[in-house]
Amino acid sequence: MAQYNPPLRDMQFLMHEVFNVAGELQALPAHKDIDADTINAVLEEGGKFASQVIFPLNRSGDEEGCTLNKETHEVTPPKGFKEAYKQYVEGGWPSLSCDPAFGGQGLPVTVNQCIYEMLNSANQAWTMYPGLSHGAYEALHAHGTDEQKKTYLPKLTSGEWTGTMCLTEPHCGTDLGLLRTKAEPQADGTYKITGQKIFISAGEHNMTPNIVHLVLARLPDAPSGSKGISLFVVPKFQVNADGSLGKRNGIFCAGLEEKMGIHGNATAQLVLENAVGTLVGQPNKGLAAMFVMMNAARLGVGNQGLGLTEVAYQNAVAYAKDRIQMRALSGPKAPDKPADPIIVHPDVRKMLLTARAYAEGGRALSMWTSLQLDKEIASDDEDVRKESADLVALITPIVKAFLTDNAWISTSHCMQVYGGHGFIKEWGMEQYVRDARINMIYEGTNTIQSLDLLGRKVLGDNGAKLKKFGKIVTEFVEAEGTNEAMQEFVNPLADLGEKVVKLTTEIGMKAFGNQDEVGAAAVDYLRVAGHLVMGYFWARMAKVALEKQGSGDPFYTAKLATARFYFAKLLPETASLIRTARAGLKPLMEMDEALF
Amino acid sequence: MAQYNPPLRDMQFLMHEVFNVAGELQALPAHKDIDADTINAVLEEGGKFASQVIFPLNRSGDEEGCTLNKETHEVTPPKGFKEAYKQYVEGGWPSLSCDPAFGGQGLPVTVNQCIYEMLNSANQAWTMYPGLSHGAYEALHAHGTDEQKKTYLPKLTSGEWTGTMCLTEPHCGTDLGLLRTKAEPQADGTYKITGQKIFISAGEHNMTPNIVHLVLARLPDAPSGSKGISLFVVPKFQVNADGSLGKRNGIFCAGLEEKMGIHGNATAQLVLENAVGTLVGQPNKGLAAMFVMMNAARLGVGNQGLGLTEVAYQNAVAYAKDRIQMRALSGPKAPDKPADPIIVHPDVRKMLLTARAYAEGGRALSMWTSLQLDKEIASDDEDVRKESADLVALITPIVKAFLTDNAWISTSHCMQVYGGHGFIKEWGMEQYVRDARINMIYEGTNTIQSLDLLGRKVLGDNGAKLKKFGKIVTEFVEAEGTNEAMQEFVNPLADLGEKVVKLTTEIGMKAFGNQDEVGAAAVDYLRVAGHLVMGYFWARMAKVALEKQGSGDPFYTAKLATARFYFAKLLPETASLIRTARAGLKPLMEMDEALF
């Protein structure tokens, strides 16, 4: 009963009216021939694939889940997943933003990110199969040997094989320094890897003939802790010199997790027994190599949150327009009906607009970050690359944590709009809530993201990266200083910007005394920073909408109304967050551990 | 792997050290013989039953769910549920606070509420079977004929039969005025009732030989809307004059809902085909009669939220003490281990303390409300009855909505403490999140609660009820005015009290212009009011803890630390809520419905 319409108009608004994406990309040698029409055509086709092919498998995939054959160790995903994946490969979607040197289409990340948003809206569990591949592709592309690249990248680019990231073990997730999986060097230059990995998304399936696992393990002489971790590529089937598949490797699925959500994705326990692998990058530098995947994956997870926010919003709106219940307190709005549609009720609107403002604001944030990533990757100007890299580094934990927290808030609100029907599986909404919950946990919990933001990205360089973003905001605020119509947007933005500077300084000072002050404030701080960033994008969108509202296109009217809602009802959350961040460490540490 | 320890010490602290429950109850004729020892003994036994008998069925019940035999229309609850119910009846638990005139033990509501908190912690889905019965008991006790009372109350009291509330229909939940189920009067004084009901909790099962359904329906000549609804008692099996079971009645389970949570409870679609029923109360006054059940049920739902908050907290604490991961930013805390237990990390503590503060604060709020209810029911002084009734009316929507929202926040935090394991069913935590979600929806969504609070209970009598509670707060604040140690608690409380008065006045004024202003502010307002009420109880608890902290009992140390956490990290949420409440209706209504 659920529905999904790709938000093409909003994507195009951001690309062509707010961010001048085509123009910005054309300045990059690799993308000099890109134009708006090409982008629009790709988005449209991607939207069709998402809404017509994988969206119909979303609920059935949730209901059926994945099945492990305990004898063969093979996993069967839900019905239709394999066929949809075949179509995905035939459509050339896996190669969209991959390197042409390995068969890729070389399109910008910015376009790929929009495709992924739509795939995530349509079916997050399915989308994780190709999504994880892309991470493996990135790590090998950045750190693989020529031999590894030749062997794996064309297959990952075409989608003929998929990939995984094998980090977590039963006793360590956040703290990879504790990991125990061992890699023994062999005479032929390969390694035999033995250990146990858990929570491996898309870790086993029969959708492709091979799976390329990227595995963190320790060499025999490795230092303890996170400085003794190396990265290996461990294919499910070994690959012969001619590229054909060889022996089944010693990496087997020992179990699938029963989870709250994303049932359609196989969350595998993998046992490695003398699995043959080759080293990726330098010995003991595996964590750094893995972070190439991880940063991309974190943006991807934020994008999952965005996708769920959008699809939940669309469905809740449809329900709220259709369902009639009670009269508006201010008098009947649909006197011809026995009751008013519930969208007349202010709090229903508040819940809907929350999801809408977080979806549209999150899309702006996500797209802008992808554009910086394109510049970081493809600019021929080193300064631009450095500047963009700093901005991406700063914003990545915000995209991951802020957008996934917002998805949790939004999907829960959308569920509430449905009343009792929201709790019933048949209506499709409760799945979005369950699926949304994992995004706050994996690829580094949102607490870890907040520590990355405040501890490393902000305080770690004495605020240098934050100042770069601050400069962007300040320039915008100043440029709009004489624009009367923009004051309702830029004033609260400027005010919040000043508060963030003060808050950052204050926490930095406290942290000199006790580093735990960072941990005490970080989660609140990230949400404050998230609103600063999102507020900036809402102000920019409002500016365009103000300029074009005379056009008669109601799109701009709606955009302005949503911007006003955001500043009136969502951004003020920062008032409390700043207070609780400033309340600091003491209230958290007063109680002795034994008294908990 | 989950665990549950009945929080007897905290219940006894509230009863005997904060609220003087035994003393207050002894002033009521019906409870003049109650004493602390009796209360403690009942709590202890109830805790044993909850933790030893029904807690072990919680996860298996979630996994197995209920089964409908489509031919016989019989429902089988999960394994062990029926046997546990038998033990519950044999233990005399259903009759605890029932009227001795019908076989009840006549114990105060305050005690019963604590037992229910523990049952809900242990197994919410199971607890809903006896929980709904109690609502049916209340409605019949208040509005039934002598014949109805004689027929049904002894069986509901003993637990030999269970009861239900049949309100919702597919096209109406919140708006019962739309309901269509029809009742045709028969020559013998009975009615034949035909229609369809959905979302009937505990609506069908084989745990008892009969089920007493209370059904809302329309008489043939009934006015339209909510003034044309009558209440009927419709037993699953008709009851012969001698009390034995007669013919199977025309009320059948046509389906069970597949839900996000509370899988162990049968959420039934009930079809009535000429089901024989008798009228409860006056014709067309059914909604008023049903509200007797509903108000009790709303307090019960708040109590469900409390129960889940407590059990989630206990489990998250155990995990956080056991799981080692990363070092404290301020340096190793467990240098003998490869990493520190995660409870050293400030944000883990923040998540745990949030759940703890909401559990302990919620328990105080819930218990105090029950005590007012005991006075309302059993005082021989009409003024006391009226005063208590007003306070209960005011606080009921807060208990329902604030405690269930807090449970959603808390269970989600507790899940986050588990990292990836929180998402895995095996660990038991994700079930609490799923179960917690329904409590925000049923028995009137939390939006409806907020409209009940702000529109009816607060503005509806020009703030008279609110002033009664305000007076309690003010007296406390003034009494502690010279107590230096209490200033950290009473100052923010006094400040919030003043702000609530201003906010109330402001919304009231706006509502003169447009009643929808109430709907725009209500949800934020309820949470602000919730913090005022909970802040008052935290201050009272802090006062006792301050007085006794010299005793050396670390219970008081922990209580004080939790109180300080509450005021530093949770109550400041009101700063944002007051802003967004004041932002009013305009940002919600600006966008035309068509543009959503």
Side-chain angles (χ1 to χ4, degrees):
Chain A
M1 298 168 90
Q3 54 179 273
Y4 175 60
N5 298 303
L8 299 175
R9 176 71 176 92
D10 201 51
M11 288 177 175
Q12 290 162 358
F13 165 73
L14 288 170
M15 286 207 169
H16 311 315
E17 300 174 67
V18 180
F19 294 134
N20 182 26
V21 161
E24 294 259 3
L25 289 170
Q26 284 158 12
L28 309 173
H31 302 305
K32 66 180 166 29
D33 300 327
I34 196 102
D35 59 45
D37 288 347
T38 308
I39 292 174
N40 290 348
V42 174
L43 293 185
E44 198 171 317
E45 286 307 306
K48 275 186 204 164
F49 179 83
S51 60
Q52 295 173 10
V53 180
I54 67 165
F55 180 63
L57 304 173
N58 187 50
R59 205 169 96 75
S60 57
D62 180 64
E63 285 195 317
E64 187 184 340
C66 298
T67 318
L68 170 67
N69 180 322
K70 295 225 170 173
E71 290 181 14
T72 64
H73 301 286
E74 299 282 325
V75 169
T76 308
K79 274 188 206 67
F81 272 41
K82 186 174 182 174
E83 294 70 20
Y85 185 78
K86 189 159 170 276
Q87 268 185 265
Y88 183 76
V89 170
E90 286 166 0
W93 294 109
S95 68
L96 209 62
S97 65
C98 291
D99 187 345
F102 302 101
Q105 300 176 59
L107 281 170
V109 175
T110 312
V111 176
N112 204 40
Q113 177 267 321
C114 288
I115 302 297
Y116 262 89
E117 184 208 308
M118 294 188 281
L119 297 175
N120 283 319
S121 281
N123 194 330
Q124 177 173 323
W126 182 92
T127 302
M128 290 169 68
Y129 293 100
L132 269 293
S133 292
H134 202 75
Y137 164 92
E138 302 258 19
L140 285 170
H141 193 267
H143 294 282
T145 62
D146 288 345
E147 179 69 21
Q148 285 167 337
K149 288 183 184 178
K150 187 173 141 265
T151 305
Y152 297 109
L153 289 185
K155 302 287 193 184
L156 288 169
T157 298
S158 68
E160 195 176 333
W161 300 347
T162 63
T164 75
M165 297 167 61
C166 300
L167 289 72
T168 305
E169 300 183 3
H171 63 288
C172 69
T174 297
D175 193 355
L176 292 169
L178 301 176
L179 72 80
R180 293 178 193 152
T181 295
K182 283 182 186 159
E184 293 280 341
Q186 305 297 303
D188 64 356
T190 65
Y191 295 80
K192 288 208 166 169
I193 301 167
T194 298
Q196 194 191 347
K197 296 288 177 179
I198 62 167
F199 298 165
I200 309 307
S201 296
E204 176 57 52
H205 59 79
N206 61 9
M207 286 160 50
T208 54
N210 206 5
I211 302 174
V212 184
H213 299 285
L214 286 186
V215 179
L216 289 183
R218 284 184 186 286
L219 293 169
D221 55 352
S224 66
S226 58
K227 287 173 182 159
I229 298 172
S230 306
L231 181 64
F232 300 86
V233 56
V234 181
K236 177 176 170 185
F237 285 92
Q238 293 182 45
V239 185
N240 299 321
D242 65 355
S244 64
L245 292 187
K247 237 177 100 180
R248 179 72 164 87
N249 209 347
I251 180 166
F252 291 100
C253 179
L256 291 178
E257 304 292 348
E258 300 275 343
K259 311 182 296 289
M260 183 182 192
I262 52 166
H263 292 159
N265 201 274
T267 305
Q269 300 159 14
L270 294 181
V271 172
L272 293 96
E273 286 175 3
N274 292 318
V276 178
T278 54
L279 184 69
V280 180
Q282 300 301 309
N284 301 329
K285 304 279 186 198
L287 221 48
M290 197 54 127
F291 258 95
V292 172
M293 291 180 73
M294 203 102 91
N295 278 323
R298 286 175 175 182
L299 293 173
V301 174
N303 211 12
Q304 291 176 330
L306 169 58
L308 291 174
T309 304
E310 172 67 32
V311 71
Y313 169 73
Q314 289 189 18
N315 283 279
V317 164
Y319 186 85
K321 287 181 176 180
D322 183 60
R323 175 79 170 178
I324 61 168
Q325 207 82 179
M326 308 297 281
R327 293 296 182 189
L329 290 179
S330 53
K333 299 290 178 280
D336 53 320
K337 293 181 180 167
D340 291 335
I342 62 172
I343 199 168
V344 310
H345 303 308
D347 189 61
V348 170
R349 284 174 162 250
K350 187 172 157 216
M351 293 190 281
L352 295 173
L353 284 166
T354 298
R356 182 184 180 113
Y358 279 144
E360 296 181 4
R363 183 172 297 121
L365 171 49
S366 203
M367 189 182 292
W368 181 87
T369 309
S370 299
L371 189 56
Q372 302 314 311
L373 200 53
D374 276 319
K375 291 190 202 175
E376 176 187 347
I377 295 166
S379 175
D380 52 2
D381 180 335
E382 194 182 329
D383 289 346
V384 172
R385 289 204 302 276
K386 173 72 175 66
E387 178 84 6
S388 306
D390 278 352
L391 288 169
V392 171
L394 178 74
I395 301 295
T396 295
I398 296 176
V399 169
K400 197 283 185 181
F402 190 56
L403 266 55
T404 60
D405 282 348
N406 293 346
W408 179 242
I409 293 164
S410 300
T411 54
S412 179
H413 277 340
C414 290
M415 180 172 167
Q416 194 74 7
V417 168
Y418 278 70
H421 298 94
F423 201 65
I424 308 298
K425 287 179 182 276
E426 181 189 353
W427 290 79
M429 184 53 72
E430 60 85 46
Q431 184 190 343
Y432 298 134
V433 181
R434 287 186 288 105
D435 287 356
R437 190 63 186 81
I438 190 59
N439 299 330
M440 298 152 79
I441 298 174
Y442 62 14
E443 304 301 344
T445 66
N446 285 2
T447 299
I448 293 296
Q449 303 302 320
S450 74
L451 291 169
D452 181 44
L453 175 69
L454 180 56
R456 193 177 311 167
K457 305 290 173 61
V458 172
L459 299 178
D461 66 0
N462 288 313
K465 292 190 195 71
L466 181 67
K467 279 183 197 125
K468 285 184 185 177
F469 192 83
K471 192 161 162 267
I472 296 174
V473 175
T474 306
E475 283 173 3
F476 179 77
V477 168
E478 283 175 8
E480 300 303 318
T482 56
N483 184 346
E484 190 56 38
M486 280 296 288
Q487 297 314 299
E488 60 175 313
F489 307 112
V490 294
N491 288 342
L493 182 62
D495 177 60
L496 183 56
E498 283 167 26
K499 284 178 175 153
V500 168
V501 171
K502 278 188 204 159
L503 179 63
T504 308
T505 310
E506 182 177 310
I507 300 169
M509 295 299 290
K510 280 192 199 171
F512 276 121
N514 186 343
Q515 271 292 308
D516 273 336
E517 290 284 357
V518 174
V523 167
D524 293 333
Y525 183 90
L526 185 142
R527 255 194 105 68
V528 174
H531 278 297
L532 177 65
V533 174
M534 191 175 271
Y536 165 70
F537 289 114
W538 264 116
R540 284 191 63 180
M541 293 190 281
K543 178 176 154 66
V544 177
L546 278 169
E547 285 161 4
K548 300 199 176 181
Q549 67 174 336
S551 70
D553 183 345
F555 177 88
Y556 303 109
T557 314
K559 188 64 78 180
L560 262 180
T562 310
R564 290 189 177 119
F565 169 83
Y566 173 79
F567 281 97
K569 299 284 189 180
L570 298 181
L571 186 132
E573 181 190 1
T574 51
S576 296
L577 292 167
I578 291 170
R579 286 187 192 206
T580 50
R582 295 189 63 205
L585 183 64
K586 191 160 170 280
L588 304 177
M589 306 313 273
E590 183 178 339
M591 196 155 95
D592 194 75
E593 182 185 321
L595 298 184
F596 270 81
Chain B
M1 296 168 91
Q3 53 178 273
Y4 174 60
N5 298 303
L8 299 175
R9 175 71 175 91
D10 201 51
M11 289 177 173
Q12 289 162 357
F13 165 73
L14 288 169
M15 286 207 169
H16 310 314
E17 300 173 66
V18 180
F19 293 134
N20 182 25
V21 161
E24 293 261 1
L25 289 170
Q26 284 158 11
L28 309 173
H31 302 305
K32 64 179 167 32
D33 298 328
I34 195 103
D35 58 49
D37 288 348
T38 307
I39 292 174
N40 291 347
V42 174
L43 294 184
E44 197 171 323
E45 285 307 306
K48 275 187 203 163
F49 180 83
S51 60
Q52 295 173 8
V53 180
I54 66 165
F55 180 64
L57 303 173
N58 187 50
R59 205 169 97 74
S60 57
D62 179 64
E63 285 196 317
E64 188 185 338
C66 299
T67 318
L68 169 67
N69 181 324
K70 294 223 169 174
E71 291 181 15
T72 63
H73 303 283
E74 298 282 324
V75 169
T76 309
K79 274 188 207 67
F81 271 41
K82 186 173 181 174
E83 294 70 19
Y85 185 78
K86 189 160 171 274
Q87 268 185 266
Y88 182 75
V89 171
E90 286 167 0
W93 295 107
S95 68
L96 208 62
S97 64
C98 291
D99 187 345
F102 302 98
Q105 299 176 58
L107 281 170
V109 176
T110 311
V111 175
N112 204 38
Q113 178 267 323
C114 288
I115 302 296
Y116 262 88
E117 183 208 309
M118 295 188 280
L119 297 175
N120 283 319
S121 281
N123 194 330
Q124 178 173 326
W126 183 91
T127 302
M128 289 169 68
Y129 292 99
L132 269 294
S133 292
H134 201 75
Y137 164 91
E138 301 260 16
L140 285 170
H141 193 267
H143 294 282
T145 62
D146 288 344
E147 180 70 22
Q148 286 167 335
K149 289 183 184 177
K150 186 176 140 258
T151 307
Y152 297 110
L153 289 185
K155 303 286 193 183
L156 289 169
T157 298
S158 67
E160 194 178 336
W161 299 348
T162 64
T164 75
M165 298 167 60
C166 300
L167 290 71
T168 304
E169 300 183 3
H171 63 287
C172 69
T174 297
D175 193 353
L176 292 170
L178 300 176
L179 74 80
R180 296 179 190 147
T181 296
K182 283 181 185 159
E184 293 281 340
Q186 305 298 305
D188 64 356
T190 67
Y191 296 80
K192 288 208 166 169
I193 301 168
T194 298
Q196 194 190 346
K197 295 287 178 180
I198 63 167
F199 298 166
I200 309 308
S201 296
E204 177 55 54
H205 59 77
N206 63 7
M207 285 161 50
T208 53
N210 206 3
I211 301 175
V212 184
H213 300 286
L214 287 186
V215 179
L216 289 183
R218 283 185 185 289
L219 293 168
D221 55 350
S224 67
S226 59
K227 287 173 183 158
I229 298 172
S230 304
L231 181 64
F232 300 86
V233 57
V234 182
K236 176 177 170 184
F237 285 92
Q238 293 182 46
V239 184
N240 298 324
D242 64 355
S244 63
L245 293 187
K247 238 178 99 182
R248 179 72 166 85
N249 209 347
I251 180 166
F252 291 100
C253 179
L256 291 178
E257 304 292 349
E258 300 274 343
K259 311 183 295 291
M260 184 182 191
I262 52 164
H263 293 159
N265 201 274
T267 305
Q269 300 159 15
L270 293 181
V271 172
L272 293 95
E273 286 175 1
N274 292 319
V276 178
T278 54
L279 184 70
V280 181
Q282 298 302 308
N284 301 329
K285 303 279 185 200
L287 222 47
M290 198 52 127
F291 260 95
V292 172
M293 289 181 75
M294 202 102 91
N295 278 325
R298 287 174 175 182
L299 293 175
V301 174
N303 212 10
Q304 292 176 329
L306 169 58
L308 292 174
T309 304
E310 172 68 32
V311 71
Y313 169 73
Q314 289 188 17
N315 282 278
V317 164
Y319 186 84
K321 287 182 176 179
D322 183 59
R323 176 79 169 178
I324 61 168
Q325 207 81 177
M326 308 297 283
R327 292 296 181 188
L329 291 179
S330 54
K333 299 290 179 280
D336 52 319
K337 292 181 182 167
D340 290 334
I342 62 173
I343 199 167
V344 309
H345 303 310
D347 190 61
V348 170
R349 284 176 161 250
K350 187 173 156 216
M351 294 190 281
L352 294 174
L353 285 165
T354 298
R356 182 184 180 114
Y358 279 144
E360 295 180 4
R363 183 172 297 123
L365 171 49
S366 204
M367 190 182 291
W368 181 87
T369 309
S370 299
L371 188 57
Q372 303 313 311
L373 199 54
D374 276 318
K375 290 189 200 172
E376 176 187 347
I377 296 166
S379 176
D380 52 2
D381 180 335
E382 194 181 331
D383 289 346
V384 171
R385 287 203 303 274
K386 174 74 174 67
E387 178 84 5
S388 305
D390 279 351
L391 288 168
V392 171
L394 177 74
I395 301 295
T396 294
I398 296 177
V399 169
K400 198 281 187 184
F402 190 57
L403 266 53
T404 60
D405 281 348
N406 293 346
W408 178 242
I409 294 165
S410 301
T411 54
S412 180
H413 277 340
C414 290
M415 180 172 168
Q416 194 75 6
V417 168
Y418 278 70
H421 300 92
F423 201 65
I424 308 298
K425 289 182 181 272
E426 180 189 353
W427 290 79
M429 184 53 70
E430 61 85 48
Q431 183 189 343
Y432 297 132
V433 180
R434 288 186 288 106
D435 287 355
R437 191 63 185 81
I438 190 60
N439 299 330
M440 298 152 78
I441 299 174
Y442 61 15
E443 302 303 343
T445 67
N446 286 2
T447 300
I448 294 296
Q449 302 303 320
S450 73
L451 292 168
D452 181 44
L453 175 69
L454 180 56
R456 193 176 311 168
K457 306 291 174 60
V458 172
L459 300 176
D461 67 0
N462 289 314
K465 289 189 196 72
L466 181 67
K467 279 183 197 126
K468 287 186 183 175
F469 191 82
K471 191 161 163 267
I472 294 174
V473 174
T474 308
E475 283 173 1
F476 178 76
V477 167
E478 283 174 8
E480 301 303 318
T482 54
N483 183 348
E484 190 56 38
M486 279 296 288
Q487 297 314 298
E488 61 175 312
F489 306 112
V490 294
N491 287 342
L493 182 63
D495 177 60
L496 183 57
E498 283 167 24
K499 285 176 176 155
V500 168
V501 171
K502 280 186 201 159
L503 180 64
T504 308
T505 309
E506 182 177 310
I507 301 169
M509 294 300 289
K510 281 193 200 173
F512 275 121
N514 185 342
Q515 271 292 310
D516 272 336
E517 291 284 358
V518 174
V523 167
D524 293 333
Y525 183 89
L526 184 141
R527 255 194 104 67
V528 173
H531 278 298
L532 177 65
V533 173
M534 191 176 271
Y536 164 70
F537 288 114
W538 264 116
R540 285 191 60 181
M541 292 191 282
K543 180 176 152 67
V544 177
L546 278 169
E547 287 162 2
K548 299 200 176 180
Q549 66 175 336
S551 71
D553 184 343
F555 178 88
Y556 302 109
T557 314
K559 189 63 80 181
L560 261 181
T562 310
R564 290 189 176 119
F565 169 83
Y566 173 79
F567 280 97
K569 300 284 189 180
L570 299 180
L571 184 133
E573 181 190 2
T574 51
S576 295
L577 292 167
I578 290 170
R579 286 187 192 207
T580 52
R582 296 189 63 207
L585 183 64
K586 191 161 172 279
L588 303 178
M589 306 314 271
E590 183 177 338
M591 195 154 95
D592 194 76
E593 180 185 323
L595 298 183
F596 271 80

